[in-house]
Amino acid sequence: MVTITIDGCAYEAPEEATILEVAREHRVDIPTLCYLREINEIGACRVCLVEVEGIDHLVAACNNKVADGMAVHTDTPRVRRARAANLQLILSRHDRRCPTCFRNGTCQLQALADRMNVHEVPYTTFFETKPIDARFPLVREPEKCVNCLRCVSTCQKVQALGVWDLVDSGSRAHVDAVAEDECAYCGQCIANCPTGALHERDDTERVFEAINDPEKVVIAQVAPAVRSSWAEMLDLGGKAPTPGRMVAAIRRLGFDYVFDTDFAADVTIMEEASELMARLAAGEEGPMFTSCCPGWVRFVKDRYPALAGKLSTTKSPQQIFGALAKTYYAQLLGVDPANIYVVSYMPCIAKKMEAAYPGMDSTGTGPDVDAVLTVRELTRQLRSRFVNVDLLEEEEFDRPLGVATGAGHIFGVTGGVMEAALRTAYFFATGENPDADAFHEVRHEGPERGWREKTFDLPGRQLKIAVASGLANADALCRALERGEARYDFVEIMACPGGCVGGGGQPIIEGINLSADRGCTLRIIDEQSELRFSHENPAVKACYDGFLGEPLSERAEELLHSDHAA
Ligand code: HC1
Ligand code: SF4
């Protein structure tokens, strides 16, 4: 430990700590723009400058370590002038049309200018407006980029990919895509962008057009993790952000039916657990990988093609929902599937891409899922339609595709798909339910590095499983599998850290990682659910009895499985 003073107060600190970490630990505010803890500590923006006694120049607090006896000053006239000048230089190259920016109100640059009382830019403004680089489904607006490199570091360190980099030199240096084809569309670079330089393609108006079309039956499906975050950017006037209020809010947008992706997650489990049991019975070499996360599917196919054949063929809940909505439910309604329009609310960017895959068209009338909106797009829809969310009472999902179990709800948190599948696989193997929490050890609590492995006893055999989230962790796990350093029967991987609760389409709140809290919300919803086993979902049973037949039946194979060839 060392002793330092910050603004005259003495603090003990570990030797390896940075000035910024010690300051934050003791509630001394130092502004930052490019800093991302353990991901991007490069001192690029020079907004966190501080004065250190005995050093002539100002130093960046984020990447300078403390030393015994160090005296730091965070609020001198020299510090304030330098920080403001640096911020003004950044602003001089930034497209400042804030009112029409997607990040208006959540932009860290905007917030910093306000917080630092910077209201003028005395330098020549020379941002260049270029046509929007609309790469599906990510959109980049280069004139809003502040070269903080957060996207570069996030993609490299969290996702083991190198889509972005700094190109050119001197005053022409800027961030650009250098390996676009590698992109998993996870959206983590968007979630960590401090400005509006990166965002998802906006599909809100397309959905309103469908809602306004009297010919269309417009159906919403809501992903598991959305219920944990939907109200983060809304003012509910102190009311609890329950799934029931979420349903009421979405219904106010004009949908004919509000259904639950978690119903389809229960169907996914019926198919995936059956597939696992069949693979084990056939003595196939493991592992079987979950395939509900399109970011992971894209990653493994691109990076580890030899392992891609081990993906479960079961489609994701989003796609199973779309396929059943346009076949089973169209039949129940007596409506031509061409007139059904399915909208997904997802915490995810890659789901926009998954919905557009060739082959995800079960009826030959168009994609099973017509539009995919993120939680941020949902927030914009509710605001733009002036829905008074604080007045909403709780409402139920519509039936039958709105009936789900606790097992379906936990899909949205890392370990949840595995746990849900094991509950049902155990039932398939024994004809009896295990304790609903028998497999709780697969749960990850909080952000983690690496992967978790466990061995469970199923009658007659042991099942070795692993769970990972974040593609850097998936990369390490795949490497271990390829080298023969690990062996599993069943592996769950989600591309985003923490699972979908940490998805790239979730609300962005600078400096706060809410994925652990959101994961707890889903766990609580599971614990409080009347039904916690997918195979006990009465609506799922009815769907099999009246339409699909058995899991892995010919019709189920045709509608609910894919070779992930896209
Ligand atoms: Fe997910 Fe899934 S859990 S992938 O994270 O399997 O997006 O929430 O909808 O499809 O159910 C996302 C979440 C989501 C699918 C399910
Ligand atoms: Fe990298 Fe994910 Fe961003 Fe693609 S979406 S550039 S994979 S962080």
Side-chain angles (χ1 to χ4, degrees):
M1 296 293 269
V2 298
T3 302
I4 69 163
T5 64
I6 302 180
D7 300 334
C9 296
Y11 301 110
E12 296 266 294
E15 277 168 38
E16 65 282 3
T18 62
I19 297 169
L20 182 68
E21 283 164 356
V22 180
R24 289 201 170 164
E25 165 92 19
H26 297 284
R27 301 285 314 273
V28 179
D29 282 352
I30 296 175
T32 59
L33 180 61
C34 67
Y35 176 74
L36 272 184
R37 191 173 182 159
E38 289 177 9
I39 297 172
N40 201 47
E41 299 176 343
I42 56 174
C45 69
R46 318 302 290 169
V47 169
C48 67
L49 294 177
V50 294
E51 230 176 299
V52 175
E53 284 180 23
I55 300 179
D56 287 345
H57 57 275
L58 299 177
V59 303
C62 71
N63 66 349
N64 279 283
K65 293 209 162 84
V66 293
D68 202 34
M70 184 184 257
V72 178
H73 299 278
T74 71
D75 191 34
T76 65
R78 188 179 167 211
V79 162
R80 285 197 297 271
R81 267 197 312 274
R83 286 180 187 167
N86 288 340
L87 192 69
Q88 285 167 327
L89 280 167
I90 292 167
L91 286 165
S92 74
R93 306 184 63 147
H94 182 78
D95 175 348
R96 299 195 300 280
R97 289 172 298 183
C98 302
T100 51
C101 180
F102 284 108
R103 291 292 297 275
N104 185 17
T106 66
C107 169
Q108 203 195 344
L109 184 61
Q110 191 184 44
L112 262 187
D114 181 51
R115 184 86 197 273
M116 289 166 63
N117 206 18
V118 169
H119 299 284
E120 279 176 28
V121 179
Y123 306 106
T124 315
T125 292
F126 62 99
F127 72 83
E128 211 184 312
T129 301
K130 299 177 192 132
I132 287 183
D133 165 11
R135 185 176 328 123
F136 177 74
L138 263 74
V139 178
R140 182 156 190 274
E141 299 190 41
E143 67 277 13
K144 290 183 181 164
C145 176
V146 292
N147 286 347
C148 68
L149 308 193
R150 281 165 49 154
C151 57
V152 177
S153 301
T154 300
C155 192
Q156 283 175 359
K157 293 189 187 160
V158 181
Q159 301 299 57
L161 292 165
V163 174
W164 308 111
D165 211 343
L166 196 61
V167 298
D168 234 325
S169 58
S171 63
R172 285 190 299 274
H174 65 281
V175 172
D176 211 341
V178 294
E180 208 169 310
D181 294 346
E182 276 186 17
C183 180
Y185 302 118
C186 67
Q188 288 301 313
C189 53
I190 297 177
N192 284 315
C193 177
T195 72
L198 287 171
H199 55 87
E200 67 273 41
R201 189 197 56 212
D202 183 89
D203 289 316
T204 53
E205 283 308 316
R206 214 150 64 79
V207 170
F208 282 134
E209 273 169 32
I211 287 173
N212 292 337
D213 182 343
E215 299 281 299
K216 296 257 183 271
V217 176
V218 188
I219 292 175
Q221 61 161 320
V222 191
V226 175
R227 71 209 63 209
S228 69
S229 61
W230 70 278
E232 283 170 4
M233 305 303 286
L234 300 170
D235 182 3
L236 262 54
K239 286 187 172 167
T242 58
R245 280 200 183 90
M246 173 188 75
V247 170
I250 294 174
R251 199 168 272 135
R252 291 303 170 280
L253 296 174
F255 287 96
D256 294 297
Y257 301 97
V258 181
F259 286 139
D260 202 347
T261 309
D262 305 15
F263 158 85
D266 283 331
V267 178
T268 295
I269 289 301
M270 296 297 283
E271 297 295 321
E272 199 161 282
S274 305
E275 196 185 336
L276 176 70
M277 301 313 280
R279 287 192 191 204
L280 293 175
E284 269 183 41
E285 199 189 329
M288 181 173 90
F289 289 113
T290 57
S291 59
C292 46
C293 168
W296 148 245
V297 170
R298 193 169 153 85
F299 175 86
V300 72
K301 281 167 53 185
D302 189 50
R303 183 71 68 88
Y304 294 95
L307 292 176
K310 295 185 180 297
L311 285 166
S312 158
T313 61
T314 306
K315 284 183 189 169
S316 73
Q318 158 166 283
Q319 293 309 132
I320 285 187
F321 182 92
L324 290 175
K326 295 209 173 172
T327 55
Y328 171 60
Y329 193 59
Q331 235 175 57
L332 288 182
L333 281 183
V335 168
D336 180 352
N339 286 331
I340 293 187
Y341 192 92
V342 174
V343 178
S344 304
Y345 285 104
M346 295 278 144
C348 178
I349 310 292
K351 290 279 172 195
K352 286 182 186 263
M353 176 194 74
E354 184 187 51
Y357 276 165
M360 295 295 179
D361 168 6
S362 306
T363 59
T365 62
D368 293 333
V369 174
D370 296 277
V372 180
L373 303 187
T374 63
V375 184
R376 296 189 288 269
E377 287 172 287
L378 170 61
T379 307
R380 294 204 292 274
Q381 282 190 318
L382 292 168
R383 284 196 174 142
S384 67
R385 295 296 293 268
F386 297 90
V387 175
N388 288 323
V389 285
D390 58 322
L391 298 181
L392 296 173
E393 298 300 334
E394 300 197 325
E395 293 178 15
E396 299 266 317
F397 280 103
D398 287 298
R399 287 167 181 261
L401 307 191
V403 178
T405 71
H409 301 319
I410 52 173
F411 261 58
V413 54
T414 176
V417 182
M418 174 63 67
E419 190 172 351
L422 292 177
R423 289 179 195 173
T424 289
Y426 184 96
F427 174 80
F428 285 164
T430 64
E432 285 174 16
N433 281 343
D435 182 286
D437 293 307
F439 304 106
H440 70 93
E441 286 168 280
V442 304
R443 295 172 196 172
H444 282 214
E445 264 122 38
E448 80 295 329
R449 287 264 164 210
W451 65 90
R452 172 168 294 195
E453 61 176 28
K454 291 282 163 211
T455 303
F456 294 107
D457 288 324
L458 282 189
R461 66 162 298 138
Q462 288 199 313
L463 196 71
K464 203 164 174 208
I465 64 95
V467 172
S469 71
L471 291 175
N473 294 329
D475 189 49
L477 199 161
C478 287
R479 241 178 301 132
L481 287 168
E482 280 210 327
R483 290 182 186 152
E485 293 161 4
R487 197 202 65 76
Y488 302 109
D489 299 303
F490 190 19
V491 173
E492 177 204 296
I493 295 183
M494 290 292 183
C496 292
C500 295
V501 287
Q506 292 280 35
I508 300 171
I509 305 171
E510 178 62 33
I512 303 177
N513 184 347
L514 287 168
S515 63
D517 290 351
R518 295 171 188 151
C520 283
T521 301
L522 295 187
R523 294 279 175 206
I524 291 168
I525 294 176
D526 169 36
E527 278 162 25
Q528 294 176 346
S529 294
E530 219 171 289
L531 296 175
R532 299 184 67 193
F533 297 92
S534 297
H535 52 271
E536 292 189 342
N537 182 329
V540 169
K541 283 190 203 171
C543 180
Y544 276 100
D545 289 347
F547 183 71
L548 290 168
E550 298 294 310
L552 308 183
S553 69
E554 204 176 308
R555 188 175 249 177
E557 287 284 355
E558 188 193 320
L559 293 176
L560 314 182
H561 291 255
S562 154
D563 61 2
H564 306 291

